[in-house]
Amino acid sequence: MTDFAAARFFMVEGQIRPNKVTDHRLVDALSETPREAFVPESARGVAYVDDDLPIGHGRYLLEPMVFARMLQYVSVQESDRVLDVGGAGGYSTAILAKLAASVVGLDSDAALTAAAAAALSAQGVTNATTVTGPMAVGHADGGPYDVIVIEGTIPEVPAALADQLAEDGRLVAIVQDARGVGEVRLFQRVGGVLSSRILFEAQPHALPGFEKKASFVF
Protein backbone atom coordinates (compact mmCIF):
# COMPACT_ATOMS: atom_id res chain seq x y z
CA MET A 1 0.00 0.00 0.00
CA THR A 2 1.29 3.46 -0.93
CA ASP A 3 2.15 5.75 1.97
CA PHE A 4 0.63 8.92 0.51
CA ALA A 5 1.70 11.15 3.38
CA ALA A 6 5.32 10.11 2.86
CA ALA A 7 5.02 10.54 -0.92
CA ARG A 8 3.61 14.03 -0.43
CA PHE A 9 6.44 14.90 1.96
CA PHE A 10 9.07 13.75 -0.53
CA MET A 11 7.32 15.65 -3.35
CA VAL A 12 7.61 18.87 -1.36
CA GLU A 13 11.13 18.25 -0.08
CA GLY A 14 12.52 16.72 -3.28
CA GLN A 15 10.66 18.52 -6.08
CA ILE A 16 9.28 21.77 -4.67
CA ARG A 17 11.68 23.32 -2.15
CA PRO A 18 14.86 22.67 -4.22
CA ASN A 19 13.32 24.52 -7.18
CA LYS A 20 13.15 28.02 -5.71
CA VAL A 21 9.68 27.67 -4.20
CA THR A 22 9.89 29.50 -0.87
CA ASP A 23 6.39 30.93 -0.34
CA HIS A 24 5.41 29.31 2.97
CA ARG A 25 1.66 29.55 2.28
CA LEU A 26 2.10 27.73 -1.01
CA VAL A 27 4.42 25.11 0.47
CA ASP A 28 1.91 24.52 3.27
CA ALA A 29 -0.93 24.11 0.78
CA LEU A 30 1.05 21.57 -1.22
CA SER A 31 2.01 19.74 1.96
CA GLU A 32 -1.56 19.53 3.22
CA THR A 33 -3.50 18.69 0.05
CA PRO A 34 -3.81 14.98 -0.86
CA ARG A 35 -3.04 14.90 -4.58
CA GLU A 36 -4.17 11.28 -4.74
CA ALA A 37 -7.73 12.35 -3.89
CA PHE A 38 -8.00 14.26 -7.17
CA VAL A 39 -6.85 11.59 -9.63
CA PRO A 40 -8.45 8.35 -10.85
CA GLU A 41 -7.93 5.34 -8.60
CA SER A 42 -5.65 3.75 -11.22
CA ALA A 43 -3.26 6.74 -11.01
CA ARG A 44 -3.13 7.16 -7.23
CA GLY A 45 0.01 5.06 -6.84
CA VAL A 46 1.93 7.57 -9.01
CA ALA A 47 0.10 10.71 -7.88
CA TYR A 48 3.34 12.38 -6.75
CA VAL A 49 5.50 11.58 -9.78
CA ASP A 50 7.80 14.41 -10.95
CA ASP A 51 6.20 14.62 -14.39
CA ASP A 52 2.87 15.49 -15.98
CA LEU A 53 0.34 12.95 -14.68
CA PRO A 54 -2.27 11.50 -17.09
CA ILE A 55 -5.72 11.48 -15.50
CA GLY A 56 -7.81 10.29 -18.46
CA HIS A 57 -9.85 12.11 -21.09
CA GLY A 58 -6.54 13.04 -22.76
CA ARG A 59 -5.70 15.36 -19.87
CA TYR A 60 -2.82 15.76 -17.41
CA LEU A 61 -2.01 17.31 -14.07
CA LEU A 62 0.96 19.63 -14.38
CA GLU A 63 4.29 18.44 -13.05
CA PRO A 64 4.33 19.53 -9.36
CA MET A 65 7.49 21.64 -9.70
CA VAL A 66 6.16 23.54 -12.73
CA PHE A 67 2.79 24.10 -11.08
CA ALA A 68 4.35 25.30 -7.83
CA ARG A 69 6.70 27.73 -9.54
CA MET A 70 3.82 29.15 -11.61
CA LEU A 71 1.81 29.80 -8.46
CA GLN A 72 4.74 31.36 -6.64
CA TYR A 73 5.27 33.86 -9.46
CA VAL A 74 1.57 34.76 -9.70
CA SER A 75 1.59 35.50 -5.94
CA VAL A 76 -1.96 34.59 -4.91
CA GLN A 77 -3.22 36.72 -2.02
CA GLU A 78 -5.86 35.88 0.59
CA SER A 79 -8.28 38.46 -0.86
CA ASP A 80 -7.92 37.35 -4.49
CA ARG A 81 -10.61 36.01 -6.80
CA VAL A 82 -9.07 33.32 -8.99
CA LEU A 83 -10.01 31.61 -12.26
CA ASP A 84 -8.37 28.19 -12.65
CA VAL A 85 -8.53 27.31 -16.35
CA GLY A 86 -8.17 23.61 -17.10
CA GLY A 87 -8.60 22.56 -13.48
CA ALA A 88 -9.40 19.00 -14.61
CA GLY A 89 -9.85 16.78 -11.54
CA GLY A 90 -9.74 19.70 -9.10
CA TYR A 91 -6.27 19.43 -7.55
CA SER A 92 -5.08 22.82 -8.73
CA THR A 93 -8.39 24.38 -7.71
CA ALA A 94 -7.98 22.90 -4.22
CA ILE A 95 -4.48 24.34 -3.86
CA LEU A 96 -5.62 27.76 -5.05
CA ALA A 97 -8.59 27.64 -2.66
CA LYS A 98 -6.14 27.44 0.26
CA LEU A 99 -4.44 30.62 -0.96
CA ALA A 100 -7.29 32.81 -2.24
CA ALA A 101 -10.68 34.14 -1.16
CA SER A 102 -12.55 32.32 -3.94
CA VAL A 103 -11.78 30.14 -6.95
CA VAL A 104 -13.68 29.17 -10.08
CA GLY A 105 -12.40 25.95 -11.62
CA LEU A 106 -13.23 25.97 -15.33
CA ASP A 107 -12.98 22.96 -17.62
CA SER A 108 -14.52 21.96 -20.94
CA ASP A 109 -14.92 18.29 -19.96
CA ALA A 110 -18.12 17.71 -17.98
CA ALA A 111 -16.89 14.41 -16.53
CA LEU A 112 -13.74 16.05 -15.17
CA THR A 113 -15.74 18.97 -13.79
CA ALA A 114 -18.07 16.56 -11.99
CA ALA A 115 -15.10 14.62 -10.57
CA ALA A 116 -13.52 17.87 -9.42
CA ALA A 117 -16.71 19.00 -7.70
CA ALA A 118 -17.01 15.68 -5.88
CA ALA A 119 -13.35 15.67 -4.79
CA LEU A 120 -13.46 19.28 -3.60
CA SER A 121 -16.60 18.56 -1.60
CA ALA A 122 -15.05 15.44 -0.07
CA GLN A 123 -12.05 17.53 1.03
CA GLY A 124 -14.26 20.16 2.62
CA VAL A 125 -13.36 22.94 0.19
CA THR A 126 -16.10 25.57 0.47
CA ASN A 127 -14.66 28.58 -1.36
CA ALA A 128 -14.36 26.99 -4.82
CA THR A 129 -16.90 26.26 -7.53
CA THR A 130 -16.57 24.26 -10.74
CA VAL A 131 -17.93 25.30 -14.12
CA THR A 132 -18.10 23.43 -17.43
CA GLY A 133 -17.52 25.49 -20.57
CA PRO A 134 -15.05 26.46 -23.30
CA MET A 135 -11.79 27.17 -21.53
CA ALA A 136 -10.54 29.70 -24.07
CA VAL A 137 -13.66 31.79 -23.42
CA GLY A 138 -13.20 31.88 -19.66
CA HIS A 139 -16.06 32.54 -17.24
CA ALA A 140 -16.93 36.21 -17.40
CA ASP A 141 -19.84 35.86 -14.95
CA GLY A 142 -17.37 35.33 -12.10
CA GLY A 143 -14.96 38.07 -13.09
CA PRO A 144 -13.07 40.22 -13.13
CA TYR A 145 -10.38 38.04 -11.56
CA ASP A 146 -7.30 39.09 -9.64
CA VAL A 147 -5.51 35.93 -10.76
CA ILE A 148 -5.98 33.61 -13.75
CA VAL A 149 -4.00 30.36 -13.97
CA ILE A 150 -3.96 28.31 -17.19
CA GLU A 151 -3.10 24.65 -16.57
CA GLY A 152 -1.36 23.55 -19.78
CA THR A 153 0.51 24.74 -22.85
CA ILE A 154 -1.35 27.08 -25.20
CA PRO A 155 -0.33 28.91 -28.41
CA GLU A 156 -1.44 32.31 -27.08
CA VAL A 157 -3.59 33.86 -24.39
CA PRO A 158 -7.05 34.49 -25.87
CA ALA A 159 -8.35 38.05 -25.66
CA ALA A 160 -11.52 36.77 -23.96
CA LEU A 161 -9.46 35.50 -21.02
CA ALA A 162 -7.19 38.52 -20.84
CA ASP A 163 -10.26 40.78 -20.74
CA GLN A 164 -11.43 39.05 -17.55
CA LEU A 165 -8.33 40.13 -15.66
CA ALA A 166 -8.88 42.91 -13.12
CA GLU A 167 -6.72 46.00 -12.81
CA ASP A 168 -3.45 44.95 -11.13
CA GLY A 169 -4.40 41.35 -11.91
CA ARG A 170 -1.95 38.61 -12.83
CA LEU A 171 -2.27 35.78 -15.33
CA VAL A 172 0.21 32.92 -15.63
CA ALA A 173 0.30 30.65 -18.67
CA ILE A 174 2.66 28.38 -20.58
CA VAL A 175 2.84 29.81 -24.09
CA GLN A 176 4.49 27.91 -26.92
CA ASP A 177 6.91 30.10 -28.85
CA ALA A 178 7.79 29.95 -32.56
CA ARG A 179 10.40 27.26 -31.85
CA GLY A 180 7.83 25.04 -30.19
CA VAL A 181 9.31 25.71 -26.75
CA GLY A 182 6.96 26.31 -23.84
CA GLU A 183 7.60 29.55 -21.97
CA VAL A 184 5.95 30.21 -18.64
CA ARG A 185 4.83 33.82 -18.87
CA LEU A 186 3.46 36.20 -16.26
CA PHE A 187 0.96 38.73 -17.59
CA GLN A 188 -0.03 41.80 -15.54
CA ARG A 189 -2.64 44.49 -16.14
CA VAL A 190 -1.47 47.90 -14.94
CA GLY A 191 -3.21 51.11 -15.97
CA GLY A 192 -5.39 49.09 -18.30
CA VAL A 193 -2.35 47.84 -20.22
CA LEU A 194 -1.44 44.14 -20.30
CA SER A 195 2.28 43.37 -20.31
CA SER A 196 4.16 40.10 -19.95
CA ARG A 197 7.55 38.65 -19.15
CA ILE A 198 9.11 35.21 -19.52
CA LEU A 199 9.75 33.38 -16.26
CA PHE A 200 11.18 30.00 -17.26
CA GLU A 201 10.81 27.24 -19.84
CA ALA A 202 8.56 24.19 -19.39
CA GLN A 203 7.08 21.57 -21.70
CA PRO A 204 3.72 20.38 -20.34
CA HIS A 205 1.09 18.82 -22.56
CA ALA A 206 -1.15 21.10 -24.61
CA LEU A 207 -4.47 22.23 -23.21
CA PRO A 208 -7.27 21.47 -25.72
CA GLY A 209 -9.55 24.18 -27.04
CA PHE A 210 -6.88 26.84 -27.51
CA GLU A 211 -5.75 25.88 -31.02
CA LYS A 212 -5.21 28.78 -33.39
CA LYS A 213 -7.77 28.93 -36.17
CA ALA A 214 -6.32 28.29 -39.61
CA SER A 215 -6.07 31.42 -41.72
CA PHE A 216 -6.53 31.63 -45.45
CA VAL A 217 -3.49 32.37 -47.59
CA PHE A 218 -4.16 34.04 -50.93
Side-chain angles (χ1 to χ4, degrees):
M1 176 178 285
T2 303
D3 184 341
F4 291 117
R8 188 159 55 254
F9 174 82
F10 287 118
M11 177 193 76
V12 171
E13 298 302 320
Q15 301 177 45
I16 306 303
R17 290 189 192 274
N19 282 287
K20 305 177 183 179
V21 178
T22 58
D23 184 318
H24 69 90
R25 294 178 61 239
L26 174 56
V27 172
D28 287 348
L30 292 164
S31 299
E32 296 165 1
T33 305
R35 203 167 192 249
E36 71 277 6
F38 295 91
V39 303
E41 188 172 352
S42 59
R44 288 176 184 170
V46 290
Y48 296 94
V49 67
D50 58 345
D51 200 352
D52 288 357
L53 177 64
I55 58 172
H57 303 261
R59 300 290 294 284
Y60 299 80
L61 291 190
L62 288 176
E63 178 183 346
M65 178 272 288
V66 172
F67 174 62
R69 290 188 69 190
M70 288 173 69
L71 292 201
Q72 174 154 282
Y73 276 111
V74 84
S75 187
V76 182
Q77 304 299 306
E78 293 180 3
S79 60
D80 284 344
R81 290 172 294 178
V82 179
L83 178 63
D84 185 25
V85 180
Y91 175 72
S92 55
T93 302
I95 296 293
L96 287 162
K98 287 183 178 292
L99 304 174
S102 63
V103 185
V104 175
L106 171 65
D107 206 282
S108 58
D109 190 302
L112 289 175
T113 302
L120 290 164
S121 177
Q123 293 298 315
V125 179
T126 58
N127 63 331
T129 58
T130 58
V131 177
T132 302
M135 292 183 286
V137 174
H139 183 64
D141 288 349
Y145 301 98
D146 302 296
V147 172
I148 298 176
V149 181
I150 303 177
E151 307 280 347
T153 302
I154 59 175
E156 62 186 7
V157 175
L161 273 177
D163 289 345
Q164 292 170 36
L165 198 62
E167 178 67 17
D168 296 322
R170 293 88 64 206
L171 182 155
V172 65
I174 306 159
V175 181
Q176 191 172 58
D177 69 9
R179 303 166 295 162
V181 175
E183 297 175 337
V184 178
R185 290 179 171 264
L186 178 65
F187 296 78
Q188 294 181 280
R189 184 180 301 284
V190 179
V193 177
L194 192 68
S195 60
S196 73
R197 61 188 177 97
I198 299 170
L199 303 175
F200 60 96
E201 293 183 355
Q203 291 293 117
H205 289 76
L207 197 59
F210 287 82
E211 299 82 2
K212 287 184 179 180
K213 293 182 179 179
S215 57
F216 291 101
V217 178
F218 297 95

